[in-house]
Amino acid sequence: MDCPHHQEAGVTVLPTLGLVDGVAARLADPGTVPSVLQTHRQHLAYGPPGIALLHIERAANGLGPWQHAHNWLAAASHGSLTSGPDSHPFYGVPAFAHALACAADHLPGSYQRALDSMDRQIGIDVRRRLDAAHRRIDAGCLPQLAEFDAIRGLTGYGAYLLRRNPDSPMVRAVLDYCVRLTEPIREFGEDLPGWWTATGPSGRPDEQFPGGHANTGMAHGIAGVLVLLALAARKSTVTNGHLRALHTILTWLDRWQEETSRGATWPYWITRSELRTGRCATSKLRRSSWCYGTAGLARAQQLAALATGDTERQITAENALAAALTDPDQLGATTDHGLCHGFAGLTHTAVRTAADAHPSTVGRLRAAISGLLAAICPVDNDLERAATALVSGTGAGPGLLDGAAGTALALLAADTAAPPQSAWDSCLLIA
């Protein structure tokens, strides 16, 4: 069966909602993907908690039954959930709590006792992590990426806590830590930004990164910290040094911003040799994505600009994103559909950015979205085959970050042209 499409005022309307429905139907029953239950039961990126988010968002929009969401939540909790040092925002108790909270927001009274219990445990774990981080800073040592990043670290925990209770002392404690993270560290006679790590981007020692690096990305770098500070400020939750920390990060990004014929771009990271020379080494074109590159960094700077009232920076960031989304070379470097580093992530970043955009840039951003959607669901595609390929035929799997559930969520947000009803994307620090 061909993917249905039609024309409105000469514009091709893509069958995005039909593809979302097809993916959701194939993921209606957790029993149809037993490998996910066996290997990724507690993982938000790849397992049941992330797949549950698709059904939660569809149900919140009146497009599907809540029972499907409940079935996936039950599958995720069929066994003990990891807490303590082995858990993180995308694994164990915090991962499950995010999905459960998204559902509970629309089902008053449901899941509350479980959420209260998990929130207490998350508070204990965050306090332990904060204490360790402050001891590390006091000792003048460099951090690990996993201490502060959005996937495994305190920035990710902060995003959850900010959504659950923005005025809580624990949120302010995380923000206090973020402020300290932006203070410079001196190592071997060199001043380094406080988020400089001694490892490569993998979090492990890497001979390609002698002296370590400063990561700029949303998933593992300082952009995630910037967004957390910006989102908190927009909720009027600020701490001592909050705006100074925002400006410290923005000044760092300004230092490494490159103006090209395609618009402003930012590097994935800065190496020790680049820090010493003061300029980025010439390198091949890197793809723009949520996790790394111009797309995520543009959204981060837009949110920071909105938090600080900097209209000029806002417009610069939005224009940079619009340029990245229409540059054939950058789009050509994008090879998958996923949220993390694929077309779904670009689409959702564009949708969220356009919703907050300045009148002078919103048209360019909205115009770019249709091209991104066409890359995921061409108008001449077979709907059944496309849905099957997303779920099981691409190698990315059915999950949230790289797989079908995340792609479907991005398509749904683009189709409804409204912010997600369930705040599922707060775990990405994109809004």
Side-chain angles (χ1 to χ4, degrees), residues 221-240:
I222 199 59
V225 179
L226 177 65
V227 172
L228 180 61
L229 290 167
L231 292 175
R234 296 190 76 191
K235 292 178 181 288
S236 299
T237 301
V238 295
T239 192
N240 292 335

Side-chain angles (χ1 to χ4, degrees), residues 263-282:
T265 64
W266 293 271
Y268 283 15
W269 46 66
I270 298 300
T271 66
R272 186 68 73 101
S273 62
E274 290 170 331
L275 181 67
R276 289 167 177 164
T277 62
R279 65 176 186 271
C280 293
T282 302

Side-chain angles (χ1 to χ4, degrees), residues 129-140:
R129 285 172 174 255
L130 286 170
D131 289 345
H134 286 300
R135 288 195 300 271
R136 189 269 306 163
I137 294 173
D138 291 341

